[in-house]
């Protein structure tokens, strides 16, 4: 696993990750990147640096990293039995009107469309593209920090996702 701060130096981070992956058997790209700045607020209250951070992190980083790693993944996918997966994490807010979360919601809707189009583009390559759209999860980034019956902790959600496959 390679982790980085996706909100800064997109070009440098993508180049670094691509270099680290060049000789690895990359079978799974899990694009679990997302940022939402500040509390819920109307669009006109959002500052330009916050809007740039949301779009650059949630959209530009995701497509830049994916574009950089597809050639590496294609080299390793040979024969019918060999497959690879690109999983992009979107959000439940990408499919519902999300007042006061417009930039985040729109950026995650971008991830949906990007994933659907990329799935078609890579259909014959042996690389499967999928989208995961979680509802609220109690994390440090989330407005909801306490777990409940309807809002699981991150570890619980990951466990549920893994066991549902």
């Amino acid at each position: 696993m390679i982790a980085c701060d996706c909100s800064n130096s997109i070009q440098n981070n993508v180049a670094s990750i691509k270099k680290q992956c060049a000789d690895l058997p990359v079978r799974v790209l899990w694009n679990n990147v997302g940022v939402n700045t500040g509390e819920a607020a109307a669009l006109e209250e959002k500052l330009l640096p916050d809007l740039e951070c949301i779009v650059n992190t949630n959209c530009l980083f995701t497509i830049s990293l994916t574009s950089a790693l597809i050639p590496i993944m294609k080299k390793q996918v040979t024969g019918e039995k060999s497959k690879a997966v690109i999983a992009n994490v979107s959000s439940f807010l990408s499919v519902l009107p999300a007042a006061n979360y417009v930039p985040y919601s729109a950026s995650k809707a971008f991830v949906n469309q990007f994933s659907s189009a990329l799935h078609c583009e890579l259909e014959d390559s042996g690389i499967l593209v999928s989208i995961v759209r979680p509802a609220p999860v109690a994390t440090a980034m989330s407005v909801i920090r306490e777990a409940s019956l309807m809002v699981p902790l991150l570890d619980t959600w990951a466990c549920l996702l893994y066991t549902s496959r």
Side-chain angles (χ1 to χ4, degrees), residues 57-143:
T57 304
N58 299 353
C59 303
L60 185 58
F61 183 84
T62 299
I63 65 171
S64 298
L65 181 62
T66 304
S67 175
L69 295 186
I70 285 173
I72 294 170
M73 295 174 85
K74 278 184 173 179
K75 282 183 193 173
Q76 298 171 13
V77 178
T78 56
E80 289 184 37
K81 294 183 181 180
S82 185
K83 301 283 183 198
V85 175
I86 298 171
N88 295 318
V89 179
S90 177
S91 171
F92 185 65
L93 290 181
S94 69
V95 294
L96 294 175
N100 297 318
Y101 293 98
V102 171
Y104 177 79
S105 174
S107 70
K108 289 304 186 170
F110 170 91
V111 172
N112 294 345
Q113 185 60 31
F114 166 68
S115 301
S116 296
L118 188 62
H119 172 78
C120 294
E121 185 172 305
L122 297 177
E123 195 167 28
D124 297 329
S125 72
I127 300 173
L128 173 68
V129 180
S130 73
I131 309 165
V132 180
R133 295 181 193 96
V137 177
T139 68
M141 184 184 108
S142 174
V143 174

Side-chain angles (χ1 to χ4, degrees), residues 7 9 15 18 24 44 48-49 52 74 78 80 82 115 134 143:
S7 66
S9 306
K18 183 178 179 179
L24 295 176
E44 70 267 15
L48 184 57
E52 289 175 339
K74 278 184 173 179
T78 56
E80 289 184 37
S82 185
S115 301
V143 174

Side-chain angles (χ1 to χ4, degrees), residues 135-155:
V137 177
T139 68
M141 184 184 108
S142 174
V143 174
I144 304 169
R145 307 259 165 107
E146 297 289 324
S148 68
L149 180 62
M150 299 304 291
V151 181
L153 290 169
L154 182 59
D155 290 349

